[in-house]
Amino acid sequence: MIKFFLMVNKQGQTRLSRYYEHVEIHKRTVLEAEVIKNCLSRSKDECSFVEYKDFKLVYRQYAALFIVVGIDQTENEMAVYELIHNFVEVLDKYFSRVSELDVSFSVLEIHLL
């Protein structure tokens, strides 16, 4: 089961976050900071799956954006890895070469609707 979905830039700023389980705002901030630190500090030669506390992190980097998905121990990492890629392909088709700016604007539009 997916616990959360994050889109983060190279500076560690969260551009999009979606939680599928209730997490208090203060705990979200701490969780995001730790998750971002863990993923951004890894080299490109290292695996994109990270064991973290009681769940796993699956992440992919696309240019200046990192997409991080938190999953429970029973979820298939490769399926989530492919899900991230499919998500980015959809964004790329919709925006014609997706960028961090596009993500920021689309999040703003969604919140305004």
Side-chain angles (χ1 to χ4, degrees):
M1 183 172 132
I2 296 176
K3 294 180 176 255
F4 60 85
F5 184 94
L6 300 174
M7 292 184 81
V8 180
N9 66 11
K10 280 188 177 180
Q11 289 75 35
Q13 299 168 321
T14 303
R15 294 299 181 200
L16 173 72
S17 67
R18 175 75 175 139
Y19 289 84
Y20 299 99
E21 293 180 347
H22 176 72
V23 179
E24 295 176 12
I25 297 296
H26 171 70
K27 290 183 180 179
R28 285 183 186 190
T29 307
V30 173
L31 175 71
E32 287 176 21
E34 291 175 2
V35 165
I36 291 166
K37 187 177 93 174
N38 278 337
C39 293
L40 267 67
S41 66
R42 296 174 62 87
S43 72
K44 291 187 179 204
D45 297 331
E46 292 182 273
C47 180
S48 295
F49 312 140
V50 181
E51 295 276 338
Y52 178 76
K53 294 189 178 180
D54 61 340
F55 52 89
K56 298 181 229 178
L57 304 173
V58 178
Y59 70 94
R60 282 185 94 154
Q61 180 181 0
Y62 292 92
L65 285 175
F66 282 83
I67 300 176
V68 184
V69 180
I71 58 174
D72 63 14
Q73 297 293 336
T74 61
E75 191 69 47
N76 183 336
E77 298 96 340
M78 287 303 293
V80 174
Y81 193 72
E82 187 65 25
L83 173 75
I84 294 170
H85 183 68
N86 289 336
F87 176 73
V88 170
E89 283 184 352
V90 169
L91 288 177
D92 195 40
K93 291 277 187 199
Y94 183 78
F95 289 111
S96 302
R97 297 199 42 86
V98 68
S99 69
E100 180 182 345
L101 192 57
D102 295 326
V103 171
S104 297
F105 282 131
S106 67
V107 170
L108 180 61
E109 287 175 11
I110 290 168
H111 286 293
L112 291 176
L113 292 176

